[in-house]
Amino acid sequence: MSLSRAPRAALLTALVAAGALTLSACGEGGKSGGGGDTNFVTGSGGIDTVAKGERQAPHALKGETLEGEPLDVADLKGKIVVMNVWGSWCPPCRSEAPYFAKVAKETKAKGVEFVGINTRDSKKEPALAFEKDYGIEYPSLYDPIGKLIVNGFPKGSLNPQAIPSTIVLDRDGKIAARSLKALDDEELHKIIDPLIAEK
């Protein structure tokens, strides 16, 4: 390995290690990220929300989808965006997938867009098969080593800390809610419906 490549390799290794420490592998998740006065309100069932005036925007969440198309979540500003972090290898992701497919269809006409963030799938084929098996019609950013997950959310914000995680952005593109567990259709509506009603 050349000297110029060594620092880049070390940086990539550190990034992957940080991602591994940041995310619990396919579990129920833990407490909210950040310290101090975060203004999070933890509801029942492990769903965290942030009051409208206290929300933060994510960093850049853009890249290539599993289908090879470019996608920038910032382009969806004006819509409510439900982002689901998932992997084809993850049993809780499989259990929640039919509900995500269903609610994505039910809420699209109300200005809600779903975007997946597929992670830890080293090849796209299993992830594409997962989407086909569960009728997932919305796009998923392909993030095999977790760069978007680690770098896409400000420190102290509601950020993904488990797989699956769900982050919901309001119409202003700010982080409004998060869940660190698999969700069903009723739980998804409990998160999404109040944001649809926001003025």
Side-chain angles (χ1 to χ4, degrees):
M1 181 179 293
S2 72
L3 289 177
S4 64
R5 287 188 173 183
R8 284 188 287 190
L11 178 61
L12 182 58
T13 301
L15 179 62
V16 171
L21 291 173
T22 301
L23 294 173
S24 303
C26 208
E28 286 295 311
K31 303 215 178 239
S32 300
D37 184 14
T38 56
N39 297 308
F40 299 167
V41 177
T42 302
S44 61
I47 295 169
D48 300 317
T49 59
V50 181
K52 190 171 184 180
E54 305 296 332
R55 296 172 187 163
Q56 298 181 60
H59 299 308
L61 291 166
K62 62 182 177 179
E64 188 176 284
T65 67
L66 287 168
E67 291 77 19
E69 299 294 323
L71 175 65
D72 186 343
V73 172
D75 292 342
L76 300 174
K77 194 170 180 182
K79 297 182 180 285
I80 295 159
V81 180
V82 179
M83 292 183 296
N84 180 243
V85 178
W86 65 278
S88 66
W89 44 268
C90 166
C93 300
R94 291 194 286 273
S95 71
E96 73 177 0
Y99 300 116
F100 275 76
K102 174 180 182 265
V103 176
K105 289 175 187 169
E106 291 172 353
T107 57
K108 189 163 183 71
K110 297 177 182 177
V112 179
E113 292 290 336
F114 278 61
V115 174
I117 300 177
N118 171 259
T119 192
R120 296 191 187 170
D121 275 311
S122 60
K123 295 184 179 173
K124 291 183 178 182
E125 289 77 12
L128 289 165
F130 177 101
E131 288 185 328
K132 184 177 180 183
D133 289 347
Y134 292 103
I136 304 293
E137 296 178 359
Y138 53 84
S140 283
L141 288 162
Y142 183 51
D143 189 29
I145 62 169
K147 285 202 283 187
L148 290 175
I149 297 166
V150 172
N151 299 321
F153 300 89
K155 284 189 178 183
S157 72
L158 295 178
N159 52 61
Q161 297 178 1
I163 302 168
S165 287
T166 301
I167 308 286
V168 184
L169 307 182
D170 64 16
R171 287 187 183 93
D172 295 323
K174 295 185 176 177
I175 303 165
R178 175 193 64 187
S179 172
L180 298 177
K181 64 172 193 158
L183 297 171
D184 63 23
D185 52 345
E186 288 183 15
E187 291 167 314
L188 277 167
H189 276 292
K190 281 181 189 175
I191 298 172
I192 298 167
D193 293 350
L195 294 173
I196 291 171
E198 275 187 357
K199 300 298 180 199

